[in-house]
Amino acid sequence: MKKIGVLTSGGDAPGMNAAIRAVVRYGIYNNINVIGIKEGFKGLIESNTMEMSLSSVADIIHRGGTILGSARSKEFQEKEGFNKALRNIKYLGIDGMVVIGGDGTFKGAQKLSEAGIATIGIPGTIDNDLAYTQYTLGFFTALSTVLESVEKIRDTSSSHGRTNVIEVMGRDCGDIALYAGLAGGAEMVIIPEIEYNIEEVCDKIMQGRARGKKHSIIILAEGAGDAREISDEIEKRIGVSTRYSVLGYTQRGGTPSAFDRLLGSKMGARAVEMLSNSMTNRALGVRGSEIFDMDMEEALSAKKQFDNETYELTKILSI
Ligand code: F6P
């Protein structure tokens, strides 16, 4: 292994920079050249790259986002775009790739492996929607960001005796809402995995009010419903003053947590080590404090187990 390419693709996630830094520094330490591909797979098609040196990754471990830039590339999924990317990889003399991103990124990684380019995937997405790994890079930072907002909204919610619906990210996976619900003491979480019933939501608010609880926090995952509609409906049905907030892209940025920096650093180094050992088509994951690797196809076909325990506990603790 003489030259490794590294890219970040899909939605950015805090901790990606820590992973890039680790790939570059661990690579250089092992006499491997590292080339940064800008804006994900799009950069491979356009041969938009940057030489990475020890100093090119200085002062980035604590920064959110990705210094390489990120994109979602439709062109890479098509034959012509993909072949162009392959030609560029060969022209650039890249022997192996480390790709950091979510499931779309991993599908791209798999295609590269199948085409003979040794590729390792690092799970980077705030959504925590990759089933094979307990956590993805960026998830815990996003969770902390959400909690900061929940606490601020809770203050005003309490002052005004209101119900506040807070929409967080997560199209198909409600993990951000679910974990923020438990950690933020929400009265209810509404997530794509469990169909919600507006009557139940209203009953829960009224039960709380009956025993003197004046305000309530409802955390909604973006894929489970519309914050404004739900908020209006609650107010209409039970006459409780209700407001909504959409946290949006604040969740994607910010200083990565200690956990995400550690995870990014360890996975970045491990990915380089694996490429040096001629491994390919593997996805890195974490379970407990253990980092593991798994066949990419197996990782992609794993079905996410819904964390019902956390869901039920959130309900019990918010009675
Ligand atoms: O995958 C991460 C994520 O932030 C999702 O939670 C969200 O639905 C999506 O990306 C938004 O993507 P984009 O920034 O490309 O619109």
Side-chain angles (χ1 to χ4, degrees):
M1 192 62 50
K2 292 241 164 27
K3 201 185 230 181
I4 285 177
V6 58
L7 64 79
T8 47
S9 163
D12 60 351
M16 281 182 164
N17 279 329
I20 295 167
R21 173 178 176 269
V23 170
V24 172
R25 296 236 166 125
Y26 200 82
I28 293 174
Y29 178 80
N30 287 289
N31 300 316
I32 298 169
N33 280 332
V34 184
I35 185 162
I37 319 291
K38 292 190 187 168
E39 295 175 16
F41 294 116
K42 182 169 164 261
L44 268 185
I45 297 169
E46 293 166 359
S47 203
N48 186 5
T49 63
M50 63 195 265
E51 283 297 327
M52 305 303 279
S53 63
L54 291 177
S55 60
S56 68
V57 289
D59 277 337
I60 66 165
I61 194 164
H62 59 293
R63 281 168 53 192
T66 156
I67 60 157
L68 294 175
S70 193
R72 302 186 197 271
S73 171
K74 271 212 176 97
E75 214 186 330
F76 185 77
Q77 292 161 24
E78 288 152 14
K79 205 171 168 194
E80 203 179 315
F82 181 72
N83 286 339
K84 211 165 163 192
L86 272 186
R87 279 198 299 276
N88 285 334
I89 290 177
K90 287 185 182 142
Y91 179 74
L92 291 162
I94 292 173
D95 310 303
M97 287 290 304
V98 179
V99 304
I100 310 166
D103 61 346
T105 308
F106 277 19
K107 282 178 193 144
Q110 196 179 14
K111 276 179 80 174
L112 285 177
S113 300
E114 280 162 5
I117 311 295
T119 306
I120 306 293
I122 293 180
T125 163
I126 64 162
D127 287 358
N128 205 36
D129 58 351
L130 290 166
Y132 76 94
T133 179
Q134 193 175 7
Y135 301 118
T136 55
L137 206 52
F139 173 62
F140 275 109
T141 304
L143 199 53
S144 298
T145 304
V146 167
L147 288 175
E148 268 174 41
S149 298
V150 168
E151 271 133 42
K152 288 181 175 132
I153 292 170
R154 180 184 281 283
D155 287 344
T156 170
S157 184
S158 156
S159 305
H160 289 266
R162 278 181 174 146
T163 290
N164 283 76
V165 178
I166 305 172
E167 184 185 304
V168 300
M169 279 186 167
R171 271 179 301 211
D172 307 310
C173 173
D175 276 16
I176 296 179
L178 184 61
Y179 285 74
L182 181 58
E187 271 57 48
M188 199 151 208
V189 294
I190 303 179
I191 49 181
E193 292 88 343
I194 306 268
E195 211 173 314
Y196 81 96
N197 176 330
I198 194 73
E199 260 170 50
E200 263 175 48
V201 176
C202 292
D203 284 352
K204 177 90 188 201
I205 297 167
M206 291 316 282
Q207 276 161 24
R209 290 180 88 83
R211 65 166 189 81
K213 207 187 218 181
K214 289 213 176 71
H215 73 286
S216 1
I217 300 285
I218 295 171
I219 303 192
L220 163 76
E222 63 176 329
D226 182 85
R228 186 184 186 155
E229 275 172 23
I230 293 174
S231 163
D232 287 352
E233 191 61 26
I234 292 170
E235 190 161 305
K236 200 172 97 193
R237 283 179 180 239
I238 55 176
V240 171
S241 171
T242 307
R243 297 287 187 272
Y244 73 94
S245 312
V246 179
L247 302 190
Y249 286 91
T250 56
Q251 297 161 86
R252 285 250 292 261
T255 302
S257 66
F259 179 78
D260 284 328
R261 295 184 206 190
L262 292 172
L263 200 60
S265 302
K266 288 185 179 185
M267 286 186 170
R270 175 86 167 256
V272 173
E273 198 178 286
M274 287 165 72
L275 287 173
S276 306
N277 291 327
S278 307
M279 292 171 81
T280 182
N281 208 20
R282 310 285 294 174
L284 282 164
V286 61
R287 195 153 300 282
S289 57
E290 187 110 357
I291 289 178
F292 63 88
D293 60 271
M294 175 185 263
D295 175 69
M296 185 62 82
E297 199 173 329
E298 220 180 295
L300 277 171
S301 58
K303 292 270 167 293
K304 185 135 175 125
Q305 294 284 319
F306 177 61
D307 185 356
N308 200 46
E309 211 179 306
T310 300
Y311 183 71
E312 289 301 326
L313 188 59
T314 306
K315 284 210 281 192
I316 293 169
L317 298 186
S318 66
I319 44 173

